[in-house]
Amino acid sequence: MTTFRSEFLRTIAERGFLHQCTDPEGLDARLSSGPVVAYIGFDCTADSLHVGSLLPIMLLRHLQKSGHKPIVLMGGGTTRIGDPSGKDEARKMLSEADIARNMEGIQKIFGRFLTFGDGPTDARMVNNADWLDGINYISFLRDFGRHFSVNRMLSFDSVKLRLEREQPLSFLEFNYMILQAYDFLELSRRFGCAMQMGGSDQWGNIVNGVELGRRVDSRDLFGLTAPLMTTASGAKMGKSAQGAVWLNADRLSDWDYWQFWRNTEDADVGRFLKLFTELPLAEIDRLTSLGGAGINDAKKILANEATRLARGEEAATQAADTARRTFEEGELADNLPSIMVPAAELTAGIPAFALFARAGLAASNGEARRLIKGGGAKVNDGPVAGETELITSAHLKDGAVKLSAGKKRHALVKPE
């Protein structure tokens, strides 16, 4: 591994963030000479980011902690087009109101990871609609489009893979990489931004921005990418059996967020501790060397630390306490996910399969039936007699019915 002089590059290399860099030696020298402004862009396709976006957020956090200035670029303009990188089909077109609402939701998460303000290393949030909305199309093509070779654009993975799969690529999406390159140029002009970072699927877009800055303004810009995250079993990071693992608490409970990390595959624990916590590397080495049941202690620490960063100290403490009471002491912890059902409905009785689906422990009634038939469902820690067994108020224990799908997923049913 290359030994870097700058704290930022040294840290991200040691912790597994560094995948590609346009000029490692030049960037290392630049970072060692004083604060550098760098950005990552986030399009506003939903009202929350999920854990698939956590790695770039942690990159920005390490950048700031190393004495540099992060810019969070909100894609108020580019969200209208859609980034074809890694996609098999065009992005759903969103209204202006949808984009504004999504942007408001996304902005909430960054305050937990970054310090914003007007200081030399304080983070800044910018919206690319500020300059993209006012573009004169003909002038833009004349001034900037001439710097892009269609032949080269077709060679980048974001375009090439889509064409090889014979998936439609609209002219609108084809423009995305030009607009992203222009974002970099604008940020360098407005704020002295010298580096763009992102996932490895953004490499072509980032390189275009570096080259545009050099051709148009003779700017010395840098690009850096992190690896795209998959689990040891090959699953895409950011998804669980129940859907996306959202960073915002209004989209996913603190308990479910904590549980996602607690359920990390054994082979991923060390890697995730390096990427998604700030524990010292020596401590991570110690935790990952633990054999047998010790790996579960490492997973709890991963869950605590990752939840503390995204949700706060209180959320992490409560989730860990809920897990301890539920799994180790067999109690009904109030912080478990819960649903309310009309008291009269519970008195009459609800078929087990319907209640499991309703509680979110199965994606559909059919999946709930299969779960029960396979013996993976429990009511109050006991077996379910059959998929149509009626769950009634007689099953209430301390004011709730505990449903379990496997050993790790639970929900409480409470009458209202």
Side-chain angles (χ1 to χ4, degrees):
M1 179 185 295
T2 303
T3 301
F4 294 108
R5 291 163 47 211
S6 61
E7 180 186 351
F8 174 65
L9 284 182
R10 192 168 59 248
T11 297
I12 66 169
E14 290 173 344
R15 300 186 81 96
F17 287 89
L18 186 56
H19 182 65
Q20 291 170 293
C21 182
T22 55
D23 178 7
E25 293 78 15
L27 178 58
D28 193 33
R30 184 77 169 268
L31 290 164
S32 299
S33 64
V36 168
V37 183
Y39 91 97
I40 298 179
F42 299 85
D43 277 348
C44 310
T45 55
D47 60 4
S48 172
L49 300 173
H50 58 64
V51 297
S53 297
L54 197 52
L55 192 143
I57 294 173
M58 290 297 291
L59 262 180
L60 291 173
R61 183 175 172 88
H62 283 298
L63 180 86
Q64 185 171 51
K65 293 186 73 173
S66 301
H68 305 284
K69 186 179 184 71
I71 291 179
V72 178
L73 180 66
M74 292 282 99
T78 44
T79 302
R80 300 178 199 165
I81 293 176
D83 181 3
S85 303
K87 310 293 192 306
D88 284 337
E89 56 186 27
R91 177 185 289 170
K92 176 186 174 185
M93 300 300 285
L94 299 176
S95 68
E96 297 287 338
D98 289 335
I99 293 172
R101 183 173 58 253
N102 290 345
M103 189 181 304
E104 183 179 356
I106 289 171
Q107 289 172 340
K108 297 175 185 176
I109 193 65
F110 289 98
R112 291 201 175 274
F113 290 88
L114 302 171
T115 300
F116 287 85
D118 298 322
T121 63
D122 286 342
R124 180 174 202 140
M125 190 169 285
V126 180
N127 182 356
N128 65 11
D130 291 348
W131 52 84
L132 294 182
D133 280 1
I135 282 179
N136 178 302
Y137 185 61
I138 299 299
S139 296
F140 180 77
L141 287 181
R142 178 182 174 86
D143 293 341
F144 302 105
R146 62 192 177 90
H147 294 290
F148 293 84
S149 160
V150 171
N151 307 61
R152 187 144 191 262
M153 293 169 74
L154 289 171
S155 74
F156 286 116
D157 284 348
S158 59
V159 173
K160 185 169 65 174
L161 293 176
R162 190 83 159 260
L163 296 177
E164 286 176 354
R165 294 171 184 156
E166 297 185 356
Q167 299 287 347
L169 178 70
S170 71
F171 180 71
L172 185 67
E173 292 174 283
F174 192 58
N175 278 271
Y176 189 94
M177 66 173 70
I178 299 179
L179 293 178
Q180 184 169 327
Y182 182 66
D183 282 346
F184 198 178
L185 181 63
E186 277 290 329
L187 290 171
S188 68
R189 288 174 170 177
R190 293 175 180 230
F191 309 112
C193 183
M195 176 168 62
Q196 180 183 176
M197 302 185 291
S200 60
D201 62 335
Q202 295 296 313
W203 179 248
N205 293 341
I206 292 172
V207 168
N208 273 321
V210 170
E211 293 182 351
L212 184 65
R214 176 178 53 79
R215 289 172 179 163
V216 174
D217 284 357
S218 299
R219 292 177 181 269
D220 192 14
L221 303 179
F222 301 90
L224 183 151
T225 62
L228 289 184
M229 291 304 299
T230 57
T231 65
S233 62
K236 189 174 181 180
M237 186 73 177
K239 300 287 185 180
S240 71
Q242 289 70 55
V245 182
W246 300 104
L247 296 182
N248 286 7
D250 56 358
R251 293 293 300 269
L252 186 75
S253 72
D254 295 332
W255 161 256
D256 285 328
Y257 190 79
W258 189 94
Q259 274 291 103
F260 168 77
W261 296 105
R262 171 62 182 84
N263 294 336
T264 294
E265 297 177 36
D266 291 1
D268 286 326
V269 174
R271 185 164 58 113
F272 286 4
L273 281 167
K274 289 179 180 179
L275 293 171
F276 303 117
T277 81
E278 294 177 326
L279 291 177
L281 293 177
E283 174 63 6
I284 293 172
D285 289 341
R286 185 191 71 79
L287 289 170
T288 53
S289 69
L290 297 174
I295 195 68
N296 289 322
D297 293 332
K299 290 180 183 182
K300 291 175 189 175
I301 291 171
L302 169 62
N304 290 341
E305 292 296 313
T307 304
R308 181 181 61 79
L309 279 171
R311 302 294 180 83
E313 191 72 49
E314 183 179 353
T317 300
Q318 286 187 352
D321 182 62
T322 298
R324 178 182 55 76
R325 291 168 59 193
T326 301
F327 300 127
E328 298 173 20
E329 299 175 10
E331 294 184 19
L332 286 182
D334 291 336
N335 290 323
L336 283 175
S338 61
I339 61 165
M340 306 299 293
V341 300
E345 192 177 351
L346 193 58
T347 298
I350 304 171
F353 75 88
L355 196 56
F356 271 82
R358 198 157 153 184
L361 295 177
S364 64
N365 285 342
E367 184 179 306
R369 288 177 184 272
R370 289 190 292 274
L371 175 72
I372 296 169
K373 285 180 181 178
K378 290 186 177 181
V379 174
N380 293 332
D381 298 319
V384 183
E387 59 196 85
T388 58
E389 177 188 355
L390 291 181
I391 308 302
T392 72
S393 53
H395 289 87
L396 289 171
K397 176 183 176 183
D398 298 330
V401 182
K402 179 184 176 185
L403 305 182
S404 304
K407 296 180 179 179
K408 299 177 180 178
R409 296 170 50 222
H410 308 274
L412 301 180
V413 178
K414 299 178 179 179
E416 62 178 352

